Amino acid sequence: MKRTWLFVPADDEAKVAKALASSADAVILDLEDGVGRAPGRKAGARTILTRVLERNDIDRTRCYVRLNALASHEIGLDIPVAVAGGATGVVLPKCEGPADVMRLAELLSEAEQRCNRGNPASIVAIATETARGVQLLPTFLHALPRLEALMWGAEDLCSDLGGFSNRGLDGSYLGPYATARDSCLVAARAAGALAIDAVYTAFRDIDGLRRESEMHRSLGFDAKAAIHPAQLDTIKQSFRPTPAQIDWALRLMEFFAEGDGARALDGAMIDEPHVRLARKILESR
């Protein structure tokens, strides 16, 4: 299970090396927002990315490339680098519905045919960065080719909505952003994809990261994105089942093996949905 997805700007070779040496389950080599806007920075990032992916001492199964948006002219330059370099997958920013996923899948297929790549790259779609993207989340109704995960994010959405903050004074997400988060989770489940939680931008606030990770794990998210290696251990710990959850799951499975149908355990009624939950807990240990 890939619980930690670490973003790193692809135009900084030292940071890329540090990210690849970290304990992240997946490293997202960022060609989009993480790269400066000065002329030549995108091209320089692609040069560094090509050099990194050519190395023999890296695990490409952990490597994902965040492309530029479908509407940008940069994406036509990004895709060949990611595909030829053997990155396991690509991350699509500002995704606006299943049509964008399908269009990217077509572009990837064309690039893979040109370089004779055998294994297809998967797609992680960041689906809440625009108001239109949030509106189209309910149209993720079934599995899509290559779609590995849906990720949500609140920073670009705040900008798109014209807001000044996406969190309240207590640190919790304000209404529109909580709605985007929940809708992304539901859409991921409808599409049979992983649900990846947004980054926690205050990377020095480990206690806040832990609280948010535990809460969003309880909602059903499978993993969380990170922006600093210091966040990884906290996220991994938070997204693992607790000893109490594992104990409950083991007892429930043993109890249910004695018979099916709704029954009482620890003073609460349990039935098939609880069995499915117990199985998921035990599988994710």
Side-chain angles (χ1 to χ4, degrees), residues 154-155 158-159 161-169 172-177:
E155 306 310 312
C158 187
S159 175
L161 294 179
F164 294 101
S165 177
N166 50 39
R167 294 179 185 266
L169 295 178
S172 62
Y173 280 108
L174 296 171
Y177 310 99

PDB file of all heavy atoms in Angstrom, residues 154-155 158-159 161-169 172-177:
ATOM      1  N   ALA A 154      -6.457  21.675  -1.772  1.00  0.00           N
ATOM      2  CA  ALA A 154      -7.244  22.862  -1.439  1.00  0.00           C
ATOM      3  C   ALA A 154      -6.568  24.173  -1.832  1.00  0.00           C
ATOM      4  O   ALA A 154      -7.220  25.213  -1.856  1.00  0.00           O
ATOM      5  CB  ALA A 154      -7.536  22.884   0.060  1.00  0.00           C
ATOM      6  N   GLU A 155      -5.272  24.132  -2.142  1.00  0.00           N
ATOM      7  CA  GLU A 155      -4.562  25.391  -2.375  1.00  0.00           C
ATOM      8  C   GLU A 155      -4.986  26.040  -3.697  1.00  0.00           C
ATOM      9  O   GLU A 155      -5.366  27.215  -3.735  1.00  0.00           O
ATOM     10  CB  GLU A 155      -3.054  25.148  -2.351  1.00  0.00           C
ATOM     11  CG  GLU A 155      -2.558  24.442  -1.087  1.00  0.00           C
ATOM     12  CD  GLU A 155      -3.053  25.079   0.193  1.00  0.00           C
ATOM     13  OE1 GLU A 155      -2.964  26.313   0.318  1.00  0.00           O
ATOM     14  OE2 GLU A 155      -3.544  24.335   1.072  1.00  0.00           O
ATOM     15  N   CYS A 158      -8.643  27.208  -3.632  1.00  0.00           N
ATOM     16  CA  CYS A 158      -8.851  28.483  -2.937  1.00  0.00           C
ATOM     17  C   CYS A 158      -8.603  29.646  -3.889  1.00  0.00           C
ATOM     18  O   CYS A 158      -9.368  30.611  -3.937  1.00  0.00           O
ATOM     19  CB  CYS A 158      -7.919  28.561  -1.730  1.00  0.00           C
ATOM     20  SG  CYS A 158      -8.204  29.980  -0.659  1.00  0.00           S
ATOM     21  N   SER A 159      -7.546  29.531  -4.681  1.00  0.00           N
ATOM     22  CA  SER A 159      -7.244  30.569  -5.659  1.00  0.00           C
ATOM     23  C   SER A 159      -8.331  30.666  -6.719  1.00  0.00           C
ATOM     24  O   SER A 159      -8.765  31.769  -7.088  1.00  0.00           O
ATOM     25  CB  SER A 159      -5.898  30.277  -6.313  1.00  0.00           C
ATOM     26  OG  SER A 159      -5.621  31.196  -7.346  1.00  0.00           O
ATOM     27  N   LEU A 161     -11.452  29.866  -6.477  1.00  0.00           N
ATOM     28  CA  LEU A 161     -12.697  30.388  -5.919  1.00  0.00           C
ATOM     29  C   LEU A 161     -12.579  31.857  -5.529  1.00  0.00           C
ATOM     30  O   LEU A 161     -13.582  32.506  -5.230  1.00  0.00           O
ATOM     31  CB  LEU A 161     -13.106  29.573  -4.692  1.00  0.00           C
ATOM     32  CG  LEU A 161     -13.502  28.118  -4.930  1.00  0.00           C
ATOM     33  CD1 LEU A 161     -13.867  27.448  -3.611  1.00  0.00           C
ATOM     34  CD2 LEU A 161     -14.664  28.011  -5.905  1.00  0.00           C
ATOM     35  N   GLY A 162     -11.351  32.385  -5.513  1.00  0.00           N
ATOM     36  CA  GLY A 162     -11.156  33.765  -5.100  1.00  0.00           C
ATOM     37  C   GLY A 162     -11.144  33.935  -3.599  1.00  0.00           C
ATOM     38  O   GLY A 162     -11.375  35.036  -3.081  1.00  0.00           O
ATOM     39  N   GLY A 163     -10.856  32.838  -2.886  1.00  0.00           N
ATOM     40  CA  GLY A 163     -10.832  32.901  -1.428  1.00  0.00           C
ATOM     41  C   GLY A 163      -9.491  33.366  -0.893  1.00  0.00           C
ATOM     42  O   GLY A 163      -8.493  33.401  -1.604  1.00  0.00           O
ATOM     43  N   PHE A 164      -9.486  33.709   0.404  1.00  0.00           N
ATOM     44  CA  PHE A 164      -8.259  34.145   1.065  1.00  0.00           C
ATOM     45  C   PHE A 164      -7.708  33.067   1.984  1.00  0.00           C
ATOM     46  O   PHE A 164      -6.545  33.122   2.384  1.00  0.00           O
ATOM     47  CB  PHE A 164      -8.502  35.428   1.861  1.00  0.00           C
ATOM     48  CG  PHE A 164      -8.830  36.611   0.993  1.00  0.00           C
ATOM     49  CD1 PHE A 164     -10.145  37.028   0.840  1.00  0.00           C
ATOM     50  CD2 PHE A 164      -7.825  37.291   0.310  1.00  0.00           C
ATOM     51  CE1 PHE A 164     -10.447  38.115   0.036  1.00  0.00           C
ATOM     52  CE2 PHE A 164      -8.119  38.369  -0.498  1.00  0.00           C
ATOM     53  CZ  PHE A 164      -9.434  38.790  -0.641  1.00  0.00           C
ATOM     54  N   SER A 165      -8.541  32.102   2.365  1.00  0.00           N
ATOM     55  CA  SER A 165      -8.099  31.027   3.237  1.00  0.00           C
ATOM     56  C   SER A 165      -8.997  29.821   3.019  1.00  0.00           C
ATOM     57  O   SER A 165     -10.205  29.970   2.765  1.00  0.00           O
ATOM     58  CB  SER A 165      -8.154  31.458   4.703  1.00  0.00           C
ATOM     59  OG  SER A 165      -7.790  30.393   5.552  1.00  0.00           O
ATOM     60  N   ASN A 166      -8.416  28.635   3.116  1.00  0.00           N
ATOM     61  CA  ASN A 166      -9.238  27.428   2.998  1.00  0.00           C
ATOM     62  C   ASN A 166      -9.480  26.762   4.354  1.00  0.00           C
ATOM     63  O   ASN A 166     -10.156  25.747   4.421  1.00  0.00           O
ATOM     64  CB  ASN A 166      -8.597  26.428   2.022  1.00  0.00           C
ATOM     65  CG  ASN A 166      -7.134  26.167   2.305  1.00  0.00           C
ATOM     66  OD1 ASN A 166      -6.719  26.073   3.450  1.00  0.00           O
ATOM     67  ND2 ASN A 166      -6.339  26.069   1.237  1.00  0.00           N
ATOM     68  N   ARG A 167      -8.928  27.343   5.410  1.00  0.00           N
ATOM     69  CA  ARG A 167      -9.103  26.786   6.758  1.00  0.00           C
ATOM     70  C   ARG A 167      -9.658  27.834   7.708  1.00  0.00           C
ATOM     71  O   ARG A 167      -9.383  29.028   7.581  1.00  0.00           O
ATOM     72  CB  ARG A 167      -7.774  26.260   7.308  1.00  0.00           C
ATOM     73  CG  ARG A 167      -7.214  25.055   6.552  1.00  0.00           C
ATOM     74  CD  ARG A 167      -5.886  24.625   7.150  1.00  0.00           C
ATOM     75  NE  ARG A 167      -5.241  23.557   6.419  1.00  0.00           N
ATOM     76  CZ  ARG A 167      -5.354  22.257   6.681  1.00  0.00           C
ATOM     77  NH1 ARG A 167      -6.131  21.871   7.694  1.00  0.00           N
ATOM     78  NH2 ARG A 167      -4.727  21.357   5.976  1.00  0.00           N
ATOM     79  N   GLY A 168     -10.419  27.353   8.700  1.00  0.00           N
ATOM     80  CA  GLY A 168     -10.949  28.230   9.728  1.00  0.00           C
ATOM     81  C   GLY A 168      -9.934  28.470  10.827  1.00  0.00           C
ATOM     82  O   GLY A 168      -8.801  27.971  10.788  1.00  0.00           O
ATOM     83  N   LEU A 169     -10.327  29.221  11.861  1.00  0.00           N
ATOM     84  CA  LEU A 169      -9.421  29.553  12.949  1.00  0.00           C
ATOM     85  C   LEU A 169      -8.980  28.324  13.716  1.00  0.00           C
ATOM     86  O   LEU A 169      -7.892  28.320  14.323  1.00  0.00           O
ATOM     87  CB  LEU A 169     -10.113  30.549  13.901  1.00  0.00           C
ATOM     88  CG  LEU A 169     -10.422  31.932  13.298  1.00  0.00           C
ATOM     89  CD1 LEU A 169     -11.144  32.798  14.326  1.00  0.00           C
ATOM     90  CD2 LEU A 169      -9.142  32.612  12.831  1.00  0.00           C
ATOM     91  N   SER A 172      -9.436  23.592  10.811  1.00  0.00           N
ATOM     92  CA  SER A 172     -10.207  22.653   9.986  1.00  0.00           C
ATOM     93  C   SER A 172     -10.604  23.320   8.672  1.00  0.00           C
ATOM     94  O   SER A 172     -10.676  24.553   8.569  1.00  0.00           O
ATOM     95  CB  SER A 172     -11.457  22.179  10.729  1.00  0.00           C
ATOM     96  OG  SER A 172     -12.319  23.269  11.015  1.00  0.00           O
ATOM     97  N   TYR A 173     -10.871  22.496   7.660  1.00  0.00           N
ATOM     98  CA  TYR A 173     -11.214  23.041   6.347  1.00  0.00           C
ATOM     99  C   TYR A 173     -12.580  23.727   6.379  1.00  0.00           C
ATOM    100  O   TYR A 173     -13.540  23.221   6.977  1.00  0.00           O
ATOM    101  CB  TYR A 173     -11.219  21.932   5.301  1.00  0.00           C
ATOM    102  CG  TYR A 173      -9.834  21.573   4.814  1.00  0.00           C
ATOM    103  CD1 TYR A 173      -9.236  20.379   5.176  1.00  0.00           C
ATOM    104  CD2 TYR A 173      -9.107  22.457   4.004  1.00  0.00           C
ATOM    105  CE1 TYR A 173      -7.953  20.055   4.747  1.00  0.00           C
ATOM    106  CE2 TYR A 173      -7.834  22.144   3.566  1.00  0.00           C
ATOM    107  CZ  TYR A 173      -7.252  20.946   3.942  1.00  0.00           C
ATOM    108  OH  TYR A 173      -5.991  20.640   3.522  1.00  0.00           O
ATOM    109  N   LEU A 174     -12.669  24.853   5.716  1.00  0.00           N
ATOM    110  CA  LEU A 174     -13.930  25.570   5.573  1.00  0.00           C
ATOM    111  C   LEU A 174     -14.843  24.829   4.584  1.00  0.00           C
ATOM    112  O   LEU A 174     -14.393  23.961   3.830  1.00  0.00           O
ATOM    113  CB  LEU A 174     -13.666  26.993   5.104  1.00  0.00           C
ATOM    114  CG  LEU A 174     -12.882  27.863   6.096  1.00  0.00           C
ATOM    115  CD1 LEU A 174     -12.478  29.189   5.453  1.00  0.00           C
ATOM    116  CD2 LEU A 174     -13.701  28.112   7.358  1.00  0.00           C
ATOM    117  N   GLY A 175     -16.100  25.222   4.569  1.00  0.00           N
ATOM    118  CA  GLY A 175     -17.145  24.504   3.843  1.00  0.00           C
ATOM    119  C   GLY A 175     -16.830  24.031   2.441  1.00  0.00           C
ATOM    120  O   GLY A 175     -16.900  22.830   2.156  1.00  0.00           O
ATOM    121  N   PRO A 176     -16.482  24.923   1.506  1.00  0.00           N
ATOM    122  CA  PRO A 176     -16.260  24.478   0.125  1.00  0.00           C
ATOM    123  C   PRO A 176     -15.140  23.456  -0.004  1.00  0.00           C
ATOM    124  O   PRO A 176     -15.199  22.563  -0.852  1.00  0.00           O
ATOM    125  CB  PRO A 176     -15.906  25.779  -0.610  1.00  0.00           C
ATOM    126  CG  PRO A 176     -16.435  26.873   0.245  1.00  0.00           C
ATOM    127  CD  PRO A 176     -16.327  26.385   1.646  1.00  0.00           C
ATOM    128  N   TYR A 177     -14.135  23.581   0.850  1.00  0.00           N
ATOM    129  CA  TYR A 177     -12.973  22.700   0.749  1.00  0.00           C
ATOM    130  C   TYR A 177     -13.259  21.334   1.387  1.00  0.00           C
ATOM    131  O   TYR A 177     -12.817  20.300   0.880  1.00  0.00           O
ATOM    132  CB  TYR A 177     -11.762  23.393   1.375  1.00  0.00           C
ATOM    133  CG  TYR A 177     -11.633  24.784   0.826  1.00  0.00           C
ATOM    134  CD1 TYR A 177     -12.105  25.887   1.543  1.00  0.00           C
ATOM    135  CD2 TYR A 177     -11.137  25.014  -0.451  1.00  0.00           C
ATOM    136  CE1 TYR A 177     -12.053  27.168   1.020  1.00  0.00           C
ATOM    137  CE2 TYR A 177     -11.087  26.293  -0.993  1.00  0.00           C
ATOM    138  CZ  TYR A 177     -11.547  27.354  -0.253  1.00  0.00           C
ATOM    139  OH  TYR A 177     -11.510  28.621  -0.797  1.00  0.00           O
TER     140      TYR A 177
END
